[in-house]
Amino acid sequence: MSEMGKKDEAGVTDHAVLADDNDAVTEAVQENADVVDEAAEEAAREQLRREREARAQALTLEIVGDLPYAEVKPPENVLFVCKLNPVTEDEDLDLIFSRFGKIISCEVIRDKRTKDSLQYAFIEFENQKDCEQAYFKMQGVLIDDHRIHVDFSQSVSRLSDTWRSATNSKRAKQGGGFGGIAHLEKKRQFRAADPKPDSRKSDGYGMVFDKESRQGGIPEAEVEVVAPGTSIIEDAVHHLLDEHEMIAIDVESIERLLDKLNLTSHEDVVPPEAPSEEDLKNLREKYAKADQEHVFTFYDDLSTAEKAALYERLASIDPIHINEITERALNPPEPSGTKGETKLEPLPESALASILDSKSEDIDSWYESGLDLVAEGKVAVVLMAGGQGTRLGSSAPKGCFNIGLPSEKSLFQIQAERIWKIQQLAEKKSGKKNIVVPWYVMTSGPTRKPTEQFFEEHKYFGLGKDDVTIFEQGILPCISNEGKILLESKSKVAIAPDGNGGIYQALLTSNVRTDMRKRGIQHIHAYCVDNCLVKVADPVFIGFAASKEVDIATKVVRKRNSKESVGLILCKDGKPDVVEYSEIDSATAEAKDSKQPDLLKFRAANIVNHYYSFKFLESIEEWAHKLPHHVARKKIPYIDIETGETVKPDKPNGIKLEQFVFDVFPMLSLDKFASMEVKREDEFSPLKNAKGTGEDDPDTSKKDILDQGKRWIQSASGTVTSEGGHLSDGVEVSPLVSYGGEGLDFLKGKEIKAPAVVEKE
């Protein structure tokens, strides 16, 4: 054979082999495809089987009366929350989830007999979008030390309950629908031969089947089904009615049927559990060592949920530490130096400044530098708003109170608008946009929820929702006069807020400090909610404190006279401090300033208006545990350990421990502390008393704001006239128009008849 022939033969052979290989590959691919097709068909068949089973189960539930109709779908605005702590209450979840939107209902599901929490809940939102946002944001969040699981509810029990509870009379009265609810109406069935339903029947529809139908089936000519697209259900209904006499079904039969269909409630929820014997033993020993073991007196008689809740609370308390701070509060250590001697002096001039006496160029310089810091996003505000308006005749948080201004604005709104205005002023000066001064609002336990609701209802007063953080101060157990931890009930410890000095620890536990760090905050203004004249994020104050490079600065006003009952900021034993008026003798209180004899020597009245450097707040862990606790003797309801009865004392029977925000002052050296004196009429008008008392009440607060507005207008060459009394001769100038009297040139030469409100330029 020639070479060419060999090549041809070889070539043929190679192509033949290649063809055989291709055939093998094709066969393998076909086999794999067949396997895939079979798997897909099996999956499809399984899916179809599941769908049919689900429809059959739903149909069964419709027939036995547990569903309004088989195709009913769960609502899309309800969340299912599980893995809850047994101590978590409806109110707790409502408070936490309400930040996403208005909540219609919030219910922790409980055992019907024991009332113990089953550790899951349903939360219904008004809007579906709010529900979806909560679903994405709250997954895996820690609530009461339990990491929760959140999902969309698959339950239709509420719809079913509504339907089942409706009466036939209601159905007739409202003209259709299941239980009178139109959107639950699925089908009407009546005899075609009848011109209209017999009004004498108990309902307006006639019967789906009657006595004759049970015996021989339902003739199609006699039944009209008004429900398009329900052929599967119709067929199943006809089949079931042909096969069974459905005259009555007892409850046990229904339960057995549901159990066979796996439709009984078997939620994968961890029931509340009491602590293990070992954990309980260890905690008991801990309290026994502190001589506080009486808190377990009723433990063995409690329900499982109550045991779990009490254990959780007691485990969060260090009884030995409580004993120590109680002892120090009741028997404070002697001050340093000679026993019984305390040296009081005004703060050194190097640490002082006064708006009343300072040069205008200094004040302008502080203002400009402070506004620059605002523009750079380095300024934040912390509001202490834990108090309720009890003395004012209101159960709402004090910040919600309306002092009677023409605009009817609350304290919260006035302060929020001042923040908004300072942001606008900073934007105008810098040329930047979207400048933010974050607002951190500290509440107490009772005021947190209503504060959050108030802010939401008022759309955060024009501020960004993400730039307002509402957080809660801590708590401490109440102590008897004998030094024992009091029980509020057999399963609850009596507790109370830890005072405005708890702000430092709360900044840590709430992650507020972390948020400040992320935002690049360097300067913080902190104040109390009850001052209607407060200059929130005051650039003059911020600029002054920043120029001094201090850790803490404070605003003060001049004491009216030696008898005014206010705390004084001064130098005590070489350290900055606040001394209460009751701690100062008459001679010291009446002493005159050697350089200005017409003024008191000690005149710097504390108004709880402070500046902090963020650098200082970064060191909270180093000194927070050293802050003293103060004693407030109160009448505290408690459980008598001997009898188990609740006692409501008619005289103080115990103490509440609290810290003051200024307790940290003595920990600073004088070079790290400064004080700025401001005009009382411009910056301090506290709201402490009920209307009509004539001092620090709603009328005085209202008058101070109206008088301030009148002064601003007159300074802008405007005229204010009035025909009323002293409470109606002023003008309210909205913070949206002017922060501190600036920007009122448009009122020059104009006459304003009081009372009035200047809300827009």
Side-chain angles (χ1 to χ4, degrees), residues 157-225:
S157 63
R158 177 163 295 192
L159 293 175
S160 300
D161 290 343
T162 304
W163 170 62
R164 283 194 299 267
S165 63
T167 61
N168 288 335
S169 59
K170 179 179 179 182
R171 190 180 304 164
K173 179 180 179 181
Q174 297 192 6
F178 286 97
I181 300 176
H183 74 271
L184 288 185
E185 181 171 345
K186 192 63 181 175
K187 54 180 174 256
R188 287 186 185 181
Q189 299 182 351
F190 54 90
R191 295 184 181 280
D194 295 341
K196 62 180 180 179
D198 189 349
S199 61
R200 293 171 296 176
K201 290 180 181 269
S202 59
D203 59 51
Y205 297 134
M207 303 294 290
V208 175
F209 53 87
D210 57 14
K211 204 169 188 179
E212 179 183 351
S213 303
R214 295 190 200 110
Q215 296 172 355
I218 303 179
E220 289 187 13
E222 293 186 353
V223 179
E224 179 182 356
V225 179

Side-chain angles (χ1 to χ4, degrees), residues 99-100 132-141:
R99 68 188 180 94
F100 298 103
E132 292 174 352
Q133 185 182 13
Y135 167 74
F136 289 114
K137 295 288 187 179
M138 294 302 293
Q139 188 66 261
V141 169

Side-chain angles (χ1 to χ4, degrees), residues 331-535:
N331 302 289
E334 291 289 340
S336 58
T338 305
K339 185 176 181 180
E341 293 184 5
T342 298
K343 185 178 181 180
L344 301 180
E345 291 290 340
L347 290 172
E349 291 187 6
S350 60
L352 297 175
S354 175
I355 296 297
L356 287 72
D357 303 327
S358 295
K359 298 177 182 179
S360 59
E361 53 263 34
D362 289 337
I363 297 175
D364 291 342
S365 175
W366 294 330
Y367 176 84
E368 295 296 328
S369 62
L371 209 56
D372 288 339
L373 292 172
V374 172
E376 293 168 10
K378 296 180 178 180
V379 177
V381 173
V382 176
L383 167 60
M384 291 171 278
Q388 291 177 294
T390 308
R391 291 185 182 179
L392 309 176
S394 170
S395 60
K398 190 178 287 188
C400 302
F401 195 79
N402 172 7
I403 60 176
L405 292 173
S407 67
E408 298 187 350
K409 293 178 182 178
S410 65
L411 293 174
F412 278 142
Q413 182 169 354
I414 293 169
Q415 294 162 21
E417 290 181 353
R418 287 179 185 147
I419 292 176
W420 182 89
K421 185 61 177 179
I422 207 66
Q423 292 174 166
Q424 299 302 306
L425 292 172
E427 288 182 3
K428 183 177 180 180
K429 182 178 187 295
S430 66
K432 299 178 181 179
K433 297 296 183 183
N434 302 318
I435 290 174
V436 170
V437 176
W439 197 14
Y440 302 96
V441 181
M442 186 179 79
T443 68
S444 61
T447 62
R448 179 168 184 169
K449 181 177 179 180
T451 298
E452 290 179 328
Q453 291 176 336
F454 194 76
F455 272 73
E456 290 172 359
E457 289 168 3
H458 292 84
K459 308 297 183 185
Y460 293 83
F461 309 105
L463 301 178
K465 182 177 180 179
D466 293 337
D467 301 319
V468 179
T469 301
I470 299 175
F471 65 108
E472 190 174 325
Q473 67 187 101
I475 56 94
L476 287 170
C478 300
I479 310 297
S480 72
N481 289 334
E482 295 72 35
K484 299 293 185 181
I485 295 175
L486 290 172
L487 292 177
E488 175 186 326
S489 67
K490 293 180 179 180
S491 61
K492 291 184 179 180
V493 177
I495 57 175
D498 55 4
N500 60 18
I503 185 175
Y504 304 114
Q505 196 65 37
L507 290 176
L508 302 185
T509 57
S510 65
N511 290 324
V512 164
R513 190 180 66 175
T514 300
D515 188 70
M516 290 180 177
R517 187 184 300 113
K518 290 179 179 178
R519 291 175 181 264
I521 300 300
Q522 294 183 12
H523 311 277
I524 296 95
H525 179 214
Y527 67 98
C528 285
V529 72
D530 59 2
N531 181 8
C532 67
L533 292 179
V534 62
K535 286 188 172 182

Side-chain angles (χ1 to χ4, degrees), residues 207 592 708:
M207 303 294 290
K592 298 294 185 178
Q708 182 186 64

Side-chain angles (χ1 to χ4, degrees), residues 678-738:
V678 298
K679 294 180 180 180
R680 184 188 291 257
E681 62 269 26
D682 282 338
E683 297 201 38
F684 185 55
S685 179
L687 180 60
K688 304 290 186 183
N689 305 313
K691 185 179 178 67
T693 57
E695 182 178 352
D696 297 341
D697 67 1
D699 287 340
T700 59
S701 292
K702 173 184 175 181
K703 182 179 185 302
D704 288 340
I705 284 186
L706 297 181
D707 286 350
Q708 182 186 64
K710 181 179 179 179
R711 292 195 302 272
W712 287 354
I713 293 171
Q714 292 172 339
S715 295
S717 299
T719 303
V720 177
T721 60
S722 173
E723 298 178 356
H726 73 284
L727 287 179
S728 59
D729 63 358
V731 177
E732 178 188 357
V733 177
S734 170
L736 301 177
V737 175
S738 180

